[in-house]
Structure formats: structure tokens, C-alpha cells
Amino acid sequence: MKKLAVALVMAGVGLANVAHAAGYGIVDMQRVVESSTYLKEQNASLQQAVKPSANRVEQLNKDIQDLQTKAATAKPAEVQQLKAQYDAKVKEINSLEQNIQQRVQSTSQATGQTFTTRVQQAAEQLRKENNLDLVLNKNSALAYDAKSDLTDKMIQKVNAMK
């Protein structure tokens, strides 16, 4: 009997906690990412930064094709010189591509960290403003009430951050 009374009290405490739950908010993170002006700006900036190197790689590839064409009809004495030019261009391409890859990787990592921080700050602001217990990613919820969707507000907050 005593155990039953303790179990009922514990169940009552659990129900009381649920009754005090302020609620939840849902955010479609895919839409937040797609609508992020920060991510769009960072992507455009990165593309501009690597464009000269990418253009140089493109030109070197054309030069290599020209060298291969020349080598097909070159005299044996010229072939060695063309091979040296070819090797130098391939080496430059490899260096440029490695630099591009490193730049993209480091920029993407920094951008991702900054964006994650902004999303977390915006989620916390929304949670407090709406007196919620939690804010969930839409993909984490099996079902939810559409009135709990805070995606548009999240997009506004994330885009407003500097």
C-alpha cells in the first residue's frame, strides 16, 4: 500500500511537471540555411576569393592541351622542352588546387561555426520571448502543431545578426 502511495505521488509530480511545461517551438533548419543572408554572402565572398586561382587553373589546363597537341608533331629535340613545360604547368595546377581546397575548407569551417552560434543564439532568444521549454528542429519531430512553427521568426533573427 505504501509503495502504491509513493508511486501515485511520483506520478503526480511527473504530471505536475508536464502541466507546467510552457511548450515548444519548431524550426525548419533547411529553410533557415537556404534563407540565410550570412551564408549567401560568405559563399559569394569565397567564390570571389578563389576565382583568380580557378581561372588560372583553367588557363593552365588549356596550355597543357596545347602542349600535348604540339608534342604529337614535335621533333625529338623539342619533346623534352615541351615535357618540362608540361610538368611545370601540372605542378602549378596541383599547387593552386591544393590552395583552393585549403581556403574552401578553412572558410567553410569558420562560416559553419559562426552560423551555428547565430542559430543557437536566435533559438535561445525565441525560446525566451515565447516562454518555451525548447525549440526543436522540424526534422527531429515526428508530429507537431503548425502554430508552433517559428521558422520565419528564426530566419529574421539569424539574418539580423551581425
Side-chain angles (χ1 to χ4, degrees), residues 43-106:
N43 187 40
S45 176
L46 178 59
Q47 286 179 358
Q48 281 300 110
V50 299
K51 189 174 182 175
S53 295
N55 288 343
R56 178 68 180 146
V57 167
E58 190 176 318
Q59 182 58 49
L60 288 168
N61 279 319
K62 288 178 185 176
D63 293 349
I64 286 173
Q65 287 176 348
D66 291 345
L67 288 173
Q68 290 171 332
T69 302
K70 287 180 186 178
T73 59
K75 296 178 184 173
E78 296 173 324
V79 171
Q80 193 64 16
Q81 182 184 7
L82 292 172
K83 184 179 178 339
Q85 291 175 10
Y86 173 89
D87 289 343
K89 291 182 186 296
V90 167
K91 186 176 179 180
E92 186 178 353
I93 286 173
N94 290 338
S95 177
L96 287 167
E97 287 177 341
Q98 186 177 15
N99 288 340
I100 290 170
Q101 183 179 5
Q102 288 173 345
R103 179 107 185 234
V104 167
Q105 203 169 23
S106 64

Side-chain angles (χ1 to χ4, degrees), residues 26-33 136-139 149 151:
I26 298 291
V27 175
D28 184 345
M29 284 305 301
Q30 183 174 345
R31 273 190 50 218
V32 173
V33 168
L136 298 171
N137 183 346
K138 175 183 173 183
N139 294 333
D149 191 324
T151 304

